[in-house]
Amino acid sequence: MSVFEKVTLEGVKNIIVVASGKGGVGKSTVSANLAISLARNGYKTALVDADIFGPSIPKMLGIENANPEVTHLGDKEVMFPVEKYGVKIMSIGFFIKKNQGLIWRGPMAANAIMQLFENTVWGDIDYMVVDFPPGTSDIQLTTVQKLQITGAIIVTTPQEVAVNDARKAASMFNNPDLNVPILGVVENMTWFTPATHPDEKYFIFGKNGGEVLSQELRTKLLGQIPLVAEVSECSDNGSSIFNTNNELVINAFEKLTNTIVDSI
Ligand code: ADP
């Protein structure tokens, strides 16, 4: 049991946080595609972009110019999430200008994130996926202290430098005062498959990083996602990999989603 007083998000059944040690390992990609895949499987799904210093979800999902509706509920100002690909999305990116970085100090940033959770009208949600900033800071700490987290997913790429940082990020969840179950590890960019040779696999970042980390953390390797050019093309132009015919990546995300649902 956590020693911290919790905030309840009414109607939200499960909160899954997606964390990484480093930036650039594909944490937002995994968060977004996991959320879309859950929605495609009929679950009521929300996605919260808590990566306050580099919110990439709006761009990735092609909703950069969305303006969440704001209204008053009694004396409280509340927001409505933006819907795309069947997912209810909230991001700090909706409220800051493009190219404008946030220079808030830790506690202020943590407060802003909690407002995204608490002041949004979510309705009934089976799975809320939270894209955390990389590393461990006030934002991650406050969120896991205040919300009842169902479990954390650790994203890493196979190479040792990424695994080392992922290990540190994971240690926060294992802190006895926080005690957040780690659902498992997702290894992203496991191998490269050229579009012209779909049967070939090149392990350009080394092998087994995700496996080693999951064994160390005594958890599962939830899935491996290949490095495929279409993934980054989709995130650059705001489209969904599920609307392409790239079976390789679609299958990888579907398998990952089923494994996560089964482990909850
Ligand atoms: P993070 O959230 O860890 O900082 P992102 O999800 O933003 O990382 O990914 C960083 C970049 O790598 C993005 O341009 C994204 O499209 C790309 N990327 C992530 N995963 C893959 C993959 N499996 N194949 C190809 N490109 C990927």
Side-chain angles (χ1 to χ4, degrees), residues 148-194:
Q148 193 67 53
I149 307 291
T150 311
I153 293 169
I154 314 293
V155 180
T156 186
T157 46
Q159 61 271 60
E160 237 178 277
V161 277
V163 171
N164 285 342
D165 284 358
R167 188 179 289 124
K168 286 182 218 154
S171 68
M172 180 184 79
F173 299 112
N174 284 332
N175 179 307
D177 286 340
L178 298 174
N179 209 10
V180 175
I182 296 179
L183 298 175
V185 173
V186 176
E187 189 185 70
N188 188 29
M189 311 193 194
T190 302
W191 66 79
F192 170 65
T193 295

mmCIF file of all heavy atoms in Angstrom, residues 148-194:
data_model
loop_
_atom_site.group_PDB
_atom_site.id
_atom_site.type_symbol
_atom_site.label_atom_id
_atom_site.label_comp_id
_atom_site.label_asym_id
_atom_site.label_seq_id
_atom_site.Cartn_x
_atom_site.Cartn_y
_atom_site.Cartn_z
ATOM 1 N N GLN A 148 -3.845 6.308 -8.551
ATOM 2 C CA GLN A 148 -3.776 4.861 -8.310
ATOM 3 C C GLN A 148 -3.355 4.206 -9.624
ATOM 4 O O GLN A 148 -4.184 4.005 -10.512
ATOM 5 C CB GLN A 148 -5.159 4.370 -7.859
ATOM 6 C CG GLN A 148 -5.161 2.981 -7.286
ATOM 7 C CD GLN A 148 -4.410 2.910 -5.960
ATOM 8 O OE1 GLN A 148 -4.686 3.680 -5.044
ATOM 9 N NE2 GLN A 148 -3.446 2.010 -5.861
ATOM 10 N N ILE A 149 -2.061 3.935 -9.753
ATOM 11 C CA ILE A 149 -1.546 3.417 -11.016
ATOM 12 C C ILE A 149 -1.705 1.885 -11.045
ATOM 13 O O ILE A 149 -1.290 1.190 -10.118
ATOM 14 C CB ILE A 149 -0.034 3.762 -11.178
ATOM 15 C CG1 ILE A 149 0.215 5.267 -10.975
ATOM 16 C CG2 ILE A 149 0.501 3.280 -12.524
ATOM 17 C CD1 ILE A 149 -0.325 6.182 -12.020
ATOM 18 N N THR A 150 -2.276 1.398 -12.132
ATOM 19 C CA THR A 150 -2.448 -0.051 -12.268
ATOM 20 C C THR A 150 -1.096 -0.716 -12.506
ATOM 21 O O THR A 150 -0.797 -1.773 -11.954
ATOM 22 C CB THR A 150 -3.379 -0.362 -13.471
ATOM 23 O OG1 THR A 150 -4.541 0.452 -13.352
ATOM 24 C CG2 THR A 150 -3.759 -1.825 -13.530
ATOM 25 N N GLY A 151 -0.285 -0.104 -13.348
ATOM 26 C CA GLY A 151 1.021 -0.681 -13.629
ATOM 27 C C GLY A 151 1.843 0.205 -14.548
ATOM 28 O O GLY A 151 1.306 1.104 -15.202
ATOM 29 N N ALA A 152 3.148 -0.062 -14.560
ATOM 30 C CA ALA A 152 4.062 0.716 -15.400
ATOM 31 C C ALA A 152 4.667 -0.178 -16.470
ATOM 32 O O ALA A 152 4.897 -1.374 -16.255
ATOM 33 C CB ALA A 152 5.171 1.313 -14.543
ATOM 34 N N ILE A 153 4.881 0.432 -17.629
ATOM 35 C CA ILE A 153 5.568 -0.259 -18.719
ATOM 36 C C ILE A 153 6.871 0.491 -18.963
ATOM 37 O O ILE A 153 6.875 1.720 -19.049
ATOM 38 C CB ILE A 153 4.700 -0.217 -19.998
ATOM 39 C CG1 ILE A 153 3.440 -1.040 -19.790
ATOM 40 C CG2 ILE A 153 5.467 -0.719 -21.210
ATOM 41 C CD1 ILE A 153 2.422 -0.831 -20.873
ATOM 42 N N ILE A 154 7.966 -0.243 -19.062
ATOM 43 C CA ILE A 154 9.267 0.392 -19.284
ATOM 44 C C ILE A 154 9.668 0.157 -20.740
ATOM 45 O O ILE A 154 9.735 -0.993 -21.181
ATOM 46 C CB ILE A 154 10.361 -0.218 -18.363
ATOM 47 C CG1 ILE A 154 9.876 -0.358 -16.907
ATOM 48 C CG2 ILE A 154 11.662 0.571 -18.457
ATOM 49 C CD1 ILE A 154 9.632 0.921 -16.180
ATOM 50 N N VAL A 155 9.914 1.259 -21.452
ATOM 51 C CA VAL A 155 10.333 1.132 -22.856
ATOM 52 C C VAL A 155 11.841 1.340 -22.945
ATOM 53 O O VAL A 155 12.390 2.279 -22.360
ATOM 54 C CB VAL A 155 9.625 2.176 -23.756
ATOM 55 C CG1 VAL A 155 10.059 2.029 -25.207
ATOM 56 C CG2 VAL A 155 8.108 2.030 -23.643
ATOM 57 N N THR A 156 12.486 0.451 -23.670
ATOM 58 C CA THR A 156 13.920 0.614 -23.911
ATOM 59 C C THR A 156 14.250 0.161 -25.332
ATOM 60 O O THR A 156 13.447 -0.524 -25.971
ATOM 61 C CB THR A 156 14.756 -0.201 -22.889
ATOM 62 O OG1 THR A 156 16.152 0.104 -23.071
ATOM 63 C CG2 THR A 156 14.551 -1.704 -23.035
ATOM 64 N N THR A 157 15.380 0.591 -25.808
ATOM 65 C CA THR A 157 15.926 0.017 -27.041
ATOM 66 C C THR A 157 16.959 -1.027 -26.603
ATOM 67 O O THR A 157 17.313 -1.081 -25.416
ATOM 68 C CB THR A 157 16.550 1.133 -27.918
ATOM 69 O OG1 THR A 157 17.356 1.967 -27.089
ATOM 70 C CG2 THR A 157 15.482 1.987 -28.579
ATOM 71 N N PRO A 158 17.444 -1.868 -27.514
ATOM 72 C CA PRO A 158 18.259 -3.012 -27.048
ATOM 73 C C PRO A 158 19.638 -2.645 -26.484
ATOM 74 O O PRO A 158 20.200 -3.430 -25.728
ATOM 75 C CB PRO A 158 18.428 -3.864 -28.317
ATOM 76 C CG PRO A 158 17.425 -3.375 -29.285
ATOM 77 C CD PRO A 158 17.143 -1.959 -28.952
ATOM 78 N N GLN A 159 20.189 -1.502 -26.853
ATOM 79 C CA GLN A 159 21.583 -1.267 -26.472
ATOM 80 C C GLN A 159 21.750 -0.960 -24.989
ATOM 81 O O GLN A 159 20.857 -0.443 -24.345
ATOM 82 C CB GLN A 159 22.241 -0.181 -27.339
ATOM 83 C CG GLN A 159 21.632 1.191 -27.292
ATOM 84 C CD GLN A 159 20.553 1.380 -28.313
ATOM 85 O OE1 GLN A 159 19.570 0.663 -28.303
ATOM 86 N NE2 GLN A 159 20.677 2.370 -29.170
ATOM 87 N N GLU A 160 22.970 -1.266 -24.483
ATOM 88 C CA GLU A 160 23.231 -1.193 -23.044
ATOM 89 C C GLU A 160 23.015 0.192 -22.447
ATOM 90 O O GLU A 160 22.491 0.312 -21.344
ATOM 91 C CB GLU A 160 24.681 -1.632 -22.788
ATOM 92 C CG GLU A 160 24.759 -2.789 -21.816
ATOM 93 C CD GLU A 160 26.185 -3.220 -21.643
ATOM 94 O OE1 GLU A 160 26.643 -3.981 -22.498
ATOM 95 O OE2 GLU A 160 26.840 -2.785 -20.675
ATOM 96 N N VAL A 161 23.384 1.245 -23.182
ATOM 97 C CA VAL A 161 23.228 2.590 -22.604
ATOM 98 C C VAL A 161 21.765 2.895 -22.312
ATOM 99 O O VAL A 161 21.427 3.526 -21.312
ATOM 100 C CB VAL A 161 23.815 3.715 -23.498
ATOM 101 C CG1 VAL A 161 25.293 3.858 -23.302
ATOM 102 C CG2 VAL A 161 23.457 3.539 -24.953
ATOM 103 N N ALA A 162 20.890 2.449 -23.192
ATOM 104 C CA ALA A 162 19.457 2.689 -22.981
ATOM 105 C C ALA A 162 18.949 1.829 -21.827
ATOM 106 O O ALA A 162 18.183 2.285 -20.978
ATOM 107 C CB ALA A 162 18.683 2.379 -24.256
ATOM 108 N N VAL A 163 19.413 0.581 -21.783
ATOM 109 C CA VAL A 163 18.978 -0.336 -20.723
ATOM 110 C C VAL A 163 19.417 0.187 -19.354
ATOM 111 O O VAL A 163 18.665 0.147 -18.384
ATOM 112 C CB VAL A 163 19.521 -1.766 -20.988
ATOM 113 C CG1 VAL A 163 19.270 -2.677 -19.801
ATOM 114 C CG2 VAL A 163 18.871 -2.337 -22.249
ATOM 115 N N ASN A 164 20.640 0.724 -19.274
ATOM 116 C CA ASN A 164 21.130 1.269 -17.998
ATOM 117 C C ASN A 164 20.215 2.360 -17.474
ATOM 118 O O ASN A 164 19.885 2.406 -16.292
ATOM 119 C CB ASN A 164 22.544 1.858 -18.176
ATOM 120 C CG ASN A 164 23.572 0.759 -18.289
ATOM 121 O OD1 ASN A 164 23.313 -0.383 -17.924
ATOM 122 N ND2 ASN A 164 24.742 1.093 -18.822
ATOM 123 N N ASP A 165 19.802 3.264 -18.377
ATOM 124 C CA ASP A 165 18.920 4.354 -17.949
ATOM 125 C C ASP A 165 17.525 3.846 -17.624
ATOM 126 O O ASP A 165 16.872 4.342 -16.710
ATOM 127 C CB ASP A 165 18.847 5.430 -19.050
ATOM 128 C CG ASP A 165 20.106 6.281 -19.069
ATOM 129 O OD1 ASP A 165 20.979 6.054 -18.212
ATOM 130 O OD2 ASP A 165 20.210 7.170 -19.927
ATOM 131 N N ALA A 166 17.068 2.862 -18.378
ATOM 132 C CA ALA A 166 15.734 2.297 -18.130
ATOM 133 C C ALA A 166 15.685 1.648 -16.749
ATOM 134 O O ALA A 166 14.691 1.740 -16.032
ATOM 135 C CB ALA A 166 15.387 1.274 -19.204
ATOM 136 N N ARG A 167 16.789 1.019 -16.373
ATOM 137 C CA ARG A 167 16.889 0.366 -15.056
ATOM 138 C C ARG A 167 16.665 1.393 -13.946
ATOM 139 O O ARG A 167 15.944 1.144 -12.988
ATOM 140 C CB ARG A 167 18.293 -0.228 -14.948
ATOM 141 C CG ARG A 167 18.535 -1.095 -13.754
ATOM 142 C CD ARG A 167 19.949 -1.631 -13.790
ATOM 143 N NE ARG A 167 20.184 -2.616 -14.822
ATOM 144 C CZ ARG A 167 21.134 -2.522 -15.773
ATOM 145 N NH1 ARG A 167 21.925 -1.463 -15.834
ATOM 146 N NH2 ARG A 167 21.277 -3.483 -16.658
ATOM 147 N N LYS A 168 17.276 2.592 -14.118
ATOM 148 C CA LYS A 168 17.122 3.651 -13.102
ATOM 149 C C LYS A 168 15.674 4.116 -13.030
ATOM 150 O O LYS A 168 15.128 4.326 -11.948
ATOM 151 C CB LYS A 168 18.023 4.850 -13.447
ATOM 152 C CG LYS A 168 19.485 4.587 -13.192
ATOM 153 C CD LYS A 168 20.306 5.828 -13.511
ATOM 154 C CE LYS A 168 21.633 5.437 -14.150
ATOM 155 N NZ LYS A 168 22.182 6.487 -15.015
ATOM 156 N N ALA A 169 15.066 4.295 -14.204
ATOM 157 C CA ALA A 169 13.669 4.749 -14.226
ATOM 158 C C ALA A 169 12.775 3.711 -13.540
ATOM 159 O O ALA A 169 11.867 4.053 -12.789
ATOM 160 C CB ALA A 169 13.213 4.972 -15.660
ATOM 161 N N ALA A 170 13.075 2.434 -13.788
ATOM 162 C CA ALA A 170 12.255 1.364 -13.216
ATOM 163 C C ALA A 170 12.381 1.325 -11.695
ATOM 164 O O ALA A 170 11.424 0.975 -10.994
ATOM 165 C CB ALA A 170 12.675 0.021 -13.807
ATOM 166 N N SER A 171 13.555 1.705 -11.191
ATOM 167 C CA SER A 171 13.774 1.598 -9.744
ATOM 168 C C SER A 171 12.809 2.501 -8.978
ATOM 169 O O SER A 171 12.445 2.205 -7.842
ATOM 170 C CB SER A 171 15.224 1.908 -9.384
ATOM 171 O OG SER A 171 15.477 3.271 -9.618
ATOM 172 N N MET A 172 12.369 3.601 -9.601
ATOM 173 C CA MET A 172 11.412 4.486 -8.930
ATOM 174 C C MET A 172 10.118 3.735 -8.597
ATOM 175 O O MET A 172 9.572 3.855 -7.505
ATOM 176 C CB MET A 172 11.094 5.683 -9.821
ATOM 177 C CG MET A 172 10.109 6.645 -9.187
ATOM 178 S SD MET A 172 9.665 7.982 -10.293
ATOM 179 C CE MET A 172 8.477 7.160 -11.321
ATOM 180 N N PHE A 173 9.656 2.931 -9.562
ATOM 181 C CA PHE A 173 8.378 2.225 -9.349
ATOM 182 C C PHE A 173 8.496 1.168 -8.254
ATOM 183 O O PHE A 173 7.536 0.855 -7.581
ATOM 184 C CB PHE A 173 7.904 1.577 -10.655
ATOM 185 C CG PHE A 173 7.659 2.577 -11.739
ATOM 186 C CD1 PHE A 173 8.472 2.644 -12.871
ATOM 187 C CD2 PHE A 173 6.617 3.476 -11.636
ATOM 188 C CE1 PHE A 173 8.253 3.581 -13.856
ATOM 189 C CE2 PHE A 173 6.377 4.413 -12.625
ATOM 190 C CZ PHE A 173 7.197 4.467 -13.736
ATOM 191 N N ASN A 174 9.707 0.636 -8.109
ATOM 192 C CA ASN A 174 9.913 -0.400 -7.101
ATOM 193 C C ASN A 174 10.137 0.157 -5.696
ATOM 194 O O ASN A 174 10.211 -0.596 -4.742
ATOM 195 C CB ASN A 174 11.131 -1.262 -7.478
ATOM 196 C CG ASN A 174 10.793 -2.221 -8.608
ATOM 197 O OD1 ASN A 174 9.646 -2.618 -8.752
ATOM 198 N ND2 ASN A 174 11.782 -2.573 -9.416
ATOM 199 N N ASN A 175 10.244 1.485 -5.601
ATOM 200 C CA ASN A 175 10.421 2.091 -4.288
ATOM 201 C C ASN A 175 9.261 1.652 -3.383
ATOM 202 O O ASN A 175 8.105 1.781 -3.759
ATOM 203 C CB ASN A 175 10.426 3.615 -4.465
ATOM 204 C CG ASN A 175 10.585 4.352 -3.158
ATOM 205 O OD1 ASN A 175 9.830 4.120 -2.214
ATOM 206 N ND2 ASN A 175 11.553 5.236 -3.117
ATOM 207 N N PRO A 176 9.562 1.127 -2.184
ATOM 208 C CA PRO A 176 8.490 0.580 -1.337
ATOM 209 C C PRO A 176 7.397 1.596 -0.987
ATOM 210 O O PRO A 176 6.258 1.218 -0.748
ATOM 211 C CB PRO A 176 9.226 0.114 -0.080
ATOM 212 C CG PRO A 176 10.668 0.387 -0.275
ATOM 213 C CD PRO A 176 10.897 0.976 -1.627
ATOM 214 N N ASP A 177 7.730 2.899 -0.973
ATOM 215 C CA ASP A 177 6.714 3.907 -0.665
ATOM 216 C C ASP A 177 5.759 4.125 -1.838
ATOM 217 O O ASP A 177 4.651 4.610 -1.665
ATOM 218 C CB ASP A 177 7.368 5.255 -0.336
ATOM 219 C CG ASP A 177 8.005 5.232 1.040
ATOM 220 O OD1 ASP A 177 7.619 4.355 1.845
ATOM 221 O OD2 ASP A 177 8.885 6.064 1.298
ATOM 222 N N LEU A 178 6.223 3.829 -3.029
ATOM 223 C CA LEU A 178 5.384 4.056 -4.215
ATOM 224 C C LEU A 178 4.723 2.753 -4.636
ATOM 225 O O LEU A 178 3.529 2.696 -4.887
ATOM 226 C CB LEU A 178 6.220 4.617 -5.369
ATOM 227 C CG LEU A 178 6.883 5.961 -5.110
ATOM 228 C CD1 LEU A 178 7.786 6.331 -6.265
ATOM 229 C CD2 LEU A 178 5.830 7.055 -4.915
ATOM 230 N N ASN A 179 5.567 1.726 -4.736
ATOM 231 C CA ASN A 179 5.053 0.388 -4.949
ATOM 232 C C ASN A 179 4.110 0.258 -6.150
ATOM 233 O O ASN A 179 2.978 -0.175 -6.022
ATOM 234 C CB ASN A 179 4.338 -0.046 -3.666
ATOM 235 C CG ASN A 179 4.400 -1.543 -3.496
ATOM 236 O OD1 ASN A 179 5.121 -2.211 -4.235
ATOM 237 N ND2 ASN A 179 3.638 -2.062 -2.563
ATOM 238 N N VAL A 180 4.586 0.689 -7.313
ATOM 239 C CA VAL A 180 3.792 0.576 -8.536
ATOM 240 C C VAL A 180 4.204 -0.720 -9.250
ATOM 241 O O VAL A 180 5.384 -0.918 -9.538
ATOM 242 C CB VAL A 180 4.047 1.780 -9.469
ATOM 243 C CG1 VAL A 180 3.332 1.605 -10.793
ATOM 244 C CG2 VAL A 180 3.617 3.080 -8.802
ATOM 245 N N PRO A 181 3.256 -1.618 -9.535
ATOM 246 C CA PRO A 181 3.647 -2.859 -10.220
ATOM 247 C C PRO A 181 4.225 -2.567 -11.606
ATOM 248 O O PRO A 181 3.672 -1.756 -12.344
ATOM 249 C CB PRO A 181 2.324 -3.626 -10.364
ATOM 250 C CG PRO A 181 1.323 -2.905 -9.537
ATOM 251 C CD PRO A 181 1.824 -1.521 -9.284
ATOM 252 N N ILE A 182 5.343 -3.193 -11.920
ATOM 253 C CA ILE A 182 5.886 -3.062 -13.285
ATOM 254 C C ILE A 182 5.293 -4.193 -14.109
ATOM 255 O O ILE A 182 5.515 -5.367 -13.826
ATOM 256 C CB ILE A 182 7.428 -3.102 -13.272
ATOM 257 C CG1 ILE A 182 7.959 -1.888 -12.494
ATOM 258 C CG2 ILE A 182 7.984 -3.105 -14.698
ATOM 259 C CD1 ILE A 182 9.474 -1.809 -12.390
ATOM 260 N N LEU A 183 4.488 -3.814 -15.108
ATOM 261 C CA LEU A 183 3.826 -4.837 -15.931
ATOM 262 C C LEU A 183 4.836 -5.543 -16.821
ATOM 263 O O LEU A 183 4.676 -6.717 -17.148
ATOM 264 C CB LEU A 183 2.744 -4.205 -16.801
ATOM 265 C CG LEU A 183 1.573 -3.524 -16.062
ATOM 266 C CD1 LEU A 183 0.662 -2.853 -17.067
ATOM 267 C CD2 LEU A 183 0.804 -4.550 -15.245
ATOM 268 N N GLY A 184 5.869 -4.816 -17.217
ATOM 269 C CA GLY A 184 6.888 -5.437 -18.042
ATOM 270 C C GLY A 184 7.656 -4.428 -18.877
ATOM 271 O O GLY A 184 7.485 -3.212 -18.737
ATOM 272 N N VAL A 185 8.505 -4.981 -19.742
ATOM 273 C CA VAL A 185 9.401 -4.182 -20.567
ATOM 274 C C VAL A 185 8.973 -4.307 -22.029
ATOM 275 O O VAL A 185 8.595 -5.385 -22.482
ATOM 276 C CB VAL A 185 10.855 -4.707 -20.409
ATOM 277 C CG1 VAL A 185 11.812 -4.026 -21.376
ATOM 278 C CG2 VAL A 185 11.332 -4.543 -18.969
ATOM 279 N N VAL A 186 9.013 -3.185 -22.743
ATOM 280 C CA VAL A 186 8.824 -3.222 -24.200
ATOM 281 C C VAL A 186 10.156 -2.855 -24.830
ATOM 282 O O VAL A 186 10.740 -1.819 -24.503
ATOM 283 C CB VAL A 186 7.740 -2.225 -24.666
ATOM 284 C CG1 VAL A 186 7.636 -2.222 -26.182
ATOM 285 C CG2 VAL A 186 6.398 -2.561 -24.038
ATOM 286 N N GLU A 187 10.644 -3.722 -25.693
ATOM 287 C CA GLU A 187 11.882 -3.416 -26.408
ATOM 288 C C GLU A 187 11.495 -2.851 -27.767
ATOM 289 O O GLU A 187 10.822 -3.517 -28.550
ATOM 290 C CB GLU A 187 12.725 -4.679 -26.558
ATOM 291 C CG GLU A 187 14.119 -4.378 -27.103
ATOM 292 C CD GLU A 187 14.884 -5.669 -27.361
ATOM 293 O OE1 GLU A 187 14.519 -6.395 -28.305
ATOM 294 O OE2 GLU A 187 15.820 -5.946 -26.618
ATOM 295 N N ASN A 188 11.892 -1.610 -28.005
ATOM 296 C CA ASN A 188 11.565 -0.964 -29.284
ATOM 297 C C ASN A 188 12.808 -0.916 -30.158
ATOM 298 O O ASN A 188 13.925 -0.921 -29.659
ATOM 299 C CB ASN A 188 11.041 0.453 -29.018
ATOM 300 C CG ASN A 188 10.507 1.112 -30.276
ATOM 301 O OD1 ASN A 188 10.031 0.455 -31.201
ATOM 302 N ND2 ASN A 188 10.597 2.429 -30.330
ATOM 303 N N MET A 189 12.593 -0.884 -31.455
ATOM 304 C CA MET A 189 13.681 -0.839 -32.443
ATOM 305 C C MET A 189 14.545 -2.101 -32.318
ATOM 306 O O MET A 189 15.767 -2.046 -32.442
ATOM 307 C CB MET A 189 14.527 0.430 -32.288
ATOM 308 C CG MET A 189 13.690 1.703 -32.212
ATOM 309 S SD MET A 189 14.665 3.177 -32.417
ATOM 310 C CE MET A 189 13.513 4.445 -31.869
ATOM 311 N N THR A 190 13.891 -3.216 -32.039
ATOM 312 C CA THR A 190 14.592 -4.477 -31.799
ATOM 313 C C THR A 190 15.440 -4.888 -32.995
ATOM 314 O O THR A 190 16.581 -5.293 -32.840
ATOM 315 C CB THR A 190 13.571 -5.588 -31.460
ATOM 316 O OG1 THR A 190 12.840 -5.166 -30.314
ATOM 317 C CG2 THR A 190 14.240 -6.911 -31.177
ATOM 318 N N TRP A 191 14.843 -4.816 -34.164
ATOM 319 C CA TRP A 191 15.616 -5.091 -35.367
ATOM 320 C C TRP A 191 15.116 -4.199 -36.486
ATOM 321 O O TRP A 191 14.022 -3.633 -36.395
ATOM 322 C CB TRP A 191 15.490 -6.565 -35.775
ATOM 323 C CG TRP A 191 14.108 -6.955 -36.207
ATOM 324 C CD1 TRP A 191 13.528 -6.716 -37.425
ATOM 325 C CD2 TRP A 191 13.108 -7.618 -35.430
ATOM 326 N NE1 TRP A 191 12.239 -7.192 -37.452
ATOM 327 C CE2 TRP A 191 11.951 -7.757 -36.245
ATOM 328 C CE3 TRP A 191 13.081 -8.122 -34.125
ATOM 329 C CZ2 TRP A 191 10.783 -8.368 -35.788
ATOM 330 C CZ3 TRP A 191 11.911 -8.735 -33.681
ATOM 331 C CH2 TRP A 191 10.788 -8.851 -34.515
ATOM 332 N N PHE A 192 15.910 -4.054 -37.512
ATOM 333 C CA PHE A 192 15.510 -3.257 -38.673
ATOM 334 C C PHE A 192 15.128 -4.188 -39.801
ATOM 335 O O PHE A 192 15.842 -5.148 -40.102
ATOM 336 C CB PHE A 192 16.666 -2.349 -39.106
ATOM 337 C CG PHE A 192 16.420 -1.673 -40.422
ATOM 338 C CD1 PHE A 192 15.396 -0.743 -40.559
ATOM 339 C CD2 PHE A 192 17.198 -1.959 -41.536
ATOM 340 C CE1 PHE A 192 15.148 -0.113 -41.777
ATOM 341 C CE2 PHE A 192 16.965 -1.336 -42.760
ATOM 342 C CZ PHE A 192 15.937 -0.415 -42.871
ATOM 343 N N THR A 193 13.987 -3.926 -40.396
ATOM 344 C CA THR A 193 13.559 -4.694 -41.558
ATOM 345 C C THR A 193 13.333 -3.737 -42.725
ATOM 346 O O THR A 193 12.464 -2.872 -42.652
ATOM 347 C CB THR A 193 12.257 -5.479 -41.247
ATOM 348 O OG1 THR A 193 12.547 -6.442 -40.246
ATOM 349 C CG2 THR A 193 11.719 -6.189 -42.467
ATOM 350 N N PRO A 194 14.132 -3.843 -43.785
ATOM 351 C CA PRO A 194 13.923 -2.938 -44.920
ATOM 352 C C PRO A 194 12.605 -3.272 -45.638
ATOM 353 O O PRO A 194 12.238 -4.450 -45.730
ATOM 354 C CB PRO A 194 15.108 -3.238 -45.852
ATOM 355 C CG PRO A 194 15.961 -4.245 -45.160
ATOM 356 C CD PRO A 194 15.203 -4.814 -44.010
#
